[in-house]
């Protein structure tokens, strides 16, 4: 029997931005092989949590701990966290004019290879690798030569986050509202991508408002966040209850 190791453990976390408390005693534990979904009203602190896990410098951690693979990373710099295995797909992906997508991906990929002391790839070998990944996620290679996210539609930006997730292949991938602004076909395709990415070695944290993505991806746990902490953890049926009765249903029960 294999015992799945904890990838991430957050203990009693308090964080603030510009003097305003946003995370208020949050606990969360994620093991390898698992997909977790995080739901919650606008402003409940979901994106803040994602950024605090990734080490965004705006946010001040007041109390508590973030443990990644048994190492305390509460006060680590963002690049160290990334090297230790955290990927964050943004709710609003940034555009990087002047930098082509493929150069950006190769740079990110090689910096990871360097840290894990594996071979870095030249442009041609990387082109092979990226084409395999594109096939895997059903994305066309016209994306590669365009500047990162510049002029991409909402759906294309989200797909590009998925591509980055596949190329970087980190232990913990956090996707913030990867489903917002997607039509039904794009949503199904991205849900399938997430399922095929998930394996016994990694973990995925999906932040979403909608039941639809949860229905397709079938996460192991669905957490509900309110005023900076997780107030309820259930299974997929949680999303259906929320869709039907609203978040107050969770609060009252
Ligand atoms: P969610 O993703 O659940 O909608 P957020 O984490 O984006 O919520 O925001 C939680 C609260 O923190 C909101 O009230 C938001 O206005 C505030 N907040 C988040 N980031 C900042 C920031 N950089 N400066 C000021 N307030 C912020
Ligand atoms: Mg958000």
């Amino acid at each position: 029997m294999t015992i799945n190791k904890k990838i991430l453990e957050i203990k009693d976390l308090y964080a603030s931005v510009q003097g305003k408390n946003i995370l208020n005693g949050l606990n969360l534990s994620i093991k390898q092989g698992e997909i977790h979904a995080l739901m919650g009203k606008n402003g409940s602190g979901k994106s803040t949590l994602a950024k605090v896990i990734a080490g965004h410098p705006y946010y001040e951690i007041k109390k508590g701990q973030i443990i990644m693979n048994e190492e305390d990373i509460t006060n680590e710099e963002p690049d160290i966290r990334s090297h230790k295995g955290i990927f964050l797909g943004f709710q609003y992906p940034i555009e990087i004019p002047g930098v082509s997508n493929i150069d950006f991906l190769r740079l990110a990929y090689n910096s990871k290879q360097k840290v894990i002391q594996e071979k870095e790839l030249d442009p041609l070998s990387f082109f092979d690798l990226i084409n395999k990944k594109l096939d895997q996620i059903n994305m066309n290679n016209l994306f590669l030569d365009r500047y990162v996210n510049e002029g991409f539609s909402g759906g294309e930006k989200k797909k590009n986050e998925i591509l980055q997730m596949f190329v970087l292949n980190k232990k913990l991938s956090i996707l913030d509202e990867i489903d917002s602004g997607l039509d039904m076909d794009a949503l199904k395709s991205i849900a399938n991508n997430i399922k095929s990415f998930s394996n016994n070695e990694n973990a995925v944290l999906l932040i979403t408002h909608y039941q639809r993505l949860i229905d397709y991806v079938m996460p192991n746990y669905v957490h509900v966040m309110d005023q900076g902490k997780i107030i309820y953890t259930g299974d997929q049926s949680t999303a259906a209850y929320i869709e039907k009765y609203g978040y107050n249903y969770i609060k009252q029960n």
Side-chain angles (χ1 to χ4, degrees):
M1 194 181 93
T2 53
I3 297 169
N4 282 355
K5 279 197 313 196
K6 265 182 201 163
I7 287 189
L8 180 77
E9 183 158 35
I10 298 180
K11 295 183 190 167
D12 199 28
L13 191 67
Y14 287 76
S16 68
V17 62
Q18 295 174 333
K20 181 180 170 196
N21 295 330
I22 301 182
L23 301 183
N24 295 304
L26 186 135
N27 292 291
L28 177 65
S29 176
I30 300 181
K31 294 198 187 110
Q32 56 184 51
E34 294 178 345
I35 303 179
H36 289 235
L38 180 65
M39 303 184 77
K41 282 185 195 161
N42 273 329
S44 57
K46 304 180 298 296
S47 294
T48 300
L49 174 64
K51 289 182 219 168
V52 166
I53 296 172
H56 196 298
Y58 268 22
Y59 301 87
E60 191 187 342
I61 295 180
K62 297 276 190 186
K63 190 178 165 212
Q65 279 181 305
I66 305 173
I67 318 274
M68 173 91 189
N69 281 327
E70 298 178 350
E71 275 181 86
D72 190 327
I73 59 160
T74 316
N75 300 304
E76 288 288 9
E77 295 297 320
D79 57 333
I80 306 284
R81 296 181 197 224
S82 156
H83 294 153
K84 288 190 189 300
I86 295 175
F87 170 81
L88 172 58
F90 290 108
Q91 180 172 359
Y92 304 107
I94 47 164
E95 301 186 1
I96 316 179
V99 178
S100 77
N101 220 4
I102 189 156
D103 286 348
F104 174 77
L105 288 167
R106 191 167 73 92
L107 199 73
Y109 177 84
N110 278 343
S111 100
K112 176 191 167 182
Q113 294 298 94
K114 205 177 204 160
V115 171
I116 60 174
Q117 298 183 344
E118 294 286 342
K119 193 167 162 256
E120 294 180 44
L121 296 182
D122 59 54
L124 275 179
S125 324
F126 187 71
F127 189 71
D128 281 347
L129 177 133
I130 200 93
N131 275 299
K132 287 197 190 96
K133 300 280 177 195
L134 286 170
D135 270 354
Q136 254 179 304
I137 66 170
N138 224 336
M139 186 172 171
N140 77 48
N141 64 13
L142 299 174
F143 279 94
L144 295 178
D145 292 325
R146 290 171 61 182
Y147 294 153
V148 179
N149 287 323
E150 199 187 40
F152 284 24
S153 72
E156 287 169 344
K157 282 183 183 172
K158 300 291 176 171
K159 196 87 182 176
N160 210 29
E161 297 292 301
I162 294 286
L163 176 63
Q164 287 174 27
M165 176 174 87
F166 269 78
V167 169
L168 297 177
N169 194 17
K170 299 283 171 111
K171 283 276 174 217
L172 174 68
S173 295
I174 305 170
L175 297 173
D176 195 358
E177 299 207 12
I178 195 75
D179 50 350
S180 60
L182 296 185
D183 60 39
M184 218 50 187
D185 289 346
L187 182 84
K188 275 187 202 165
S189 151
I190 279 187
N192 284 328
N193 294 154
I194 295 168
K195 280 200 278 188
S196 74
F197 176 78
S198 165
N199 64 36
N200 284 331
E201 303 279 300
N202 66 21
V204 178
L205 176 61
L206 282 180
I207 298 175
T208 179
H209 269 303
Y210 304 108
Q211 184 192 353
R212 301 183 312 178
L213 184 70
I214 290 176
D215 285 347
Y216 289 126
V217 176
M218 298 187 287
N220 304 89
Y221 299 97
V222 175
H223 308 281
V224 180
M225 191 162 172
D226 185 51
Q227 293 177 34
K229 60 183 182 185
I230 288 172
I231 57 162
Y232 181 83
T233 295
D235 60 16
Q236 293 158 49
S237 63
T238 308
Y241 279 121
I242 290 170
E243 193 91 351
K244 202 161 171 197
Y245 302 110
Y247 283 108
N248 286 337
Y249 174 84
I250 301 287
K251 280 206 212 175
Q252 285 153 10
N253 287 275

